[in-house]
Amino acid sequence: MIDRPGLAEFLRRRRESLQPEDVGLPRGQRRRTAGLRREEVATLCHISTDYYSRLERERGPHPSEQMIASIAQGLHLSLDERDHLFRLAGHNPPPRGAAGEHVSPGLLRIFDRLADTPAEIVTELGETLRQNALGVALCGDLTRYTGPARSVGYRWFTDPEWRALYHPDDHPLHARVFASGLRRIVTLRGPKSYAAHLQNLLLESNEEFREVWNSHEIGVTYQNVKRFVHPQVGDLELACQVLLDPEQSHSLLVYTAVPGSESYEKLELLAVIGSQYETVSGRSSS
């Protein structure tokens, strides 16, 4: 059963404990509210201000598991806090570990501060959970995919348009990296895992994957840079730095260019193009 008083109190306390800079929001002027405003939390959680306000007032409908997961992420809750929120709302908490999609507050705090370079947070199977505005400008909105196509490795072998984003000379290496990485995860998670399910789907349907898979390579990695072919700014050479959250098996990927290089200038141009497109289309960055 939902504990409405407990849920309302917990939400209020968590909202009041957060400052705008904790969640990547500007502080602005004339701020009198202790912590975040309700409308700011609602925006972070992708829900209406009225809906969130009713929860804090012990009113409204029984929130779904999906709604509680969105609120937990928007409030930057730890795993223990997330599980507590689920129980207050009358739900069993989702699983932790490799299958979980709740991004840790620490990883989110770093991600929220990355505005001038492409960045995304992915699962161990390359499923994009968060993406900043410049990341969308570089690769498109990767959070829109559903089903097996959420995995970047699966897309590589099944979606020719996805390959067009990368320099053609590097395509064989990409295939080896994705197959090698999937083999590692299948071995780690076991034959009943979702990784094994992706493996079987690709083995049944894709000849190229079968050829690469049968080479039994492991530990194949990229060189110093990834080469992109962007439809608006052309070729880019970007280094990819990775920060791992071992508790949830999530990675923060940050793409950078050497200052003063042609790719650096193109990233700056891409930031302008992306912001203009965002303003016209009304898209949010993440």
Side-chain angles (χ1 to χ4, degrees):
M1 296 292 293
I2 183 173
D3 178 358
R4 288 195 179 275
L7 177 63
E9 179 67 15
F10 184 67
L11 291 176
R12 281 195 299 269
R13 295 296 184 185
R14 286 300 302 145
R15 174 173 62 81
E16 292 170 354
S17 70
L18 289 172
Q19 299 302 315
E21 52 268 27
D22 295 332
V23 294
L25 295 176
R27 171 164 289 275
Q29 299 178 350
R30 300 178 182 177
R31 176 172 289 273
R32 299 176 181 177
T33 304
L36 296 180
R37 301 185 180 101
R38 289 190 180 94
E39 57 267 27
E40 291 172 329
V41 171
T43 298
L44 290 169
C45 300
H46 307 289
I47 60 178
S48 72
T49 302
D50 177 68
Y51 186 96
Y52 179 80
S53 297
R54 283 188 288 166
L55 290 178
E56 282 202 4
R57 296 187 178 109
E58 304 179 28
R59 295 157 50 192
H62 187 175
S64 66
E65 292 182 28
Q66 183 178 8
M67 183 67 70
I68 290 300
S70 182
I71 293 173
Q73 196 68 88
L75 286 171
H76 286 44
L77 300 186
S78 67
L79 283 172
D80 287 337
E81 290 169 333
R82 179 206 66 174
D83 291 354
H84 181 64
L85 180 66
F86 266 83
R87 295 187 180 102
L88 288 173
H91 298 298
N92 291 322
R96 299 190 180 197
E101 296 193 359
H102 182 80
V103 182
S104 71
L107 209 58
L108 275 179
R109 281 193 292 270
I110 299 171
F111 174 82
D112 287 337
R113 286 161 173 76
L114 296 171
D116 61 349
T117 193
E120 61 178 321
I121 297 175
V122 302
T123 69
E124 64 181 9
L125 289 172
E127 301 159 320
T128 300
L129 303 177
R130 289 290 181 100
Q131 200 178 10
N132 68 3
L134 198 48
V136 174
L138 176 65
C139 298
D141 182 5
L142 304 183
T143 64
R144 74 183 189 276
Y145 291 101
T146 60
R150 292 185 65 202
S151 169
V152 63
Y154 185 89
R155 288 199 304 276
W156 179 261
F157 290 101
T158 59
D159 184 356
E161 290 186 4
W162 174 249
R163 294 187 174 213
L165 182 62
Y166 297 92
H167 196 285
D169 290 349
D170 299 335
H171 286 191
L173 176 60
H174 283 292
R176 293 172 58 214
V177 168
F178 292 134
S180 168
L182 182 59
R183 182 180 297 278
R184 180 186 66 82
I185 298 169
V186 170
T187 304
L188 179 65
R189 304 303 176 193
K192 295 183 178 180
S193 64
Y194 186 65
H197 173 63
L198 293 181
Q199 167 205 328
N200 292 331
L201 287 178
L202 290 169
L203 284 174
E204 292 170 1
S205 63
N206 192 276
E207 178 63 29
E208 181 190 8
F209 177 79
R210 286 193 292 269
E211 291 180 4
V212 180
W213 185 260
N214 288 336
S215 67
H216 288 267
E217 289 186 301
I218 197 74
V220 182
T221 59
Y222 293 107
Q223 305 301 318
N224 294 330
V225 299
K226 287 186 180 181
R227 296 192 292 177
F228 294 85
V229 182
H230 194 274
Q232 292 172 296
V233 300
D235 292 353
L236 292 142
E237 291 190 356
L238 304 178
C240 180
Q241 306 298 323
V242 181
L243 178 62
L244 176 66
D245 176 7
E247 188 173 24
Q248 284 290 86
S249 297
H250 295 159
S251 296
L252 171 61
L253 310 183
V254 182
Y255 297 93
T256 61
V258 176
S261 66
E262 183 178 352
S263 292
Y264 186 87
E265 294 175 354
K266 288 182 178 181
L267 265 189
E268 292 184 321
L269 175 60
L270 194 58
V272 175
I273 295 173
S275 63
Q276 288 175 343
Y277 176 70
E278 209 175 316
T279 299
V280 172
S281 64
R283 296 190 315 174
S284 60
S285 61
S286 60

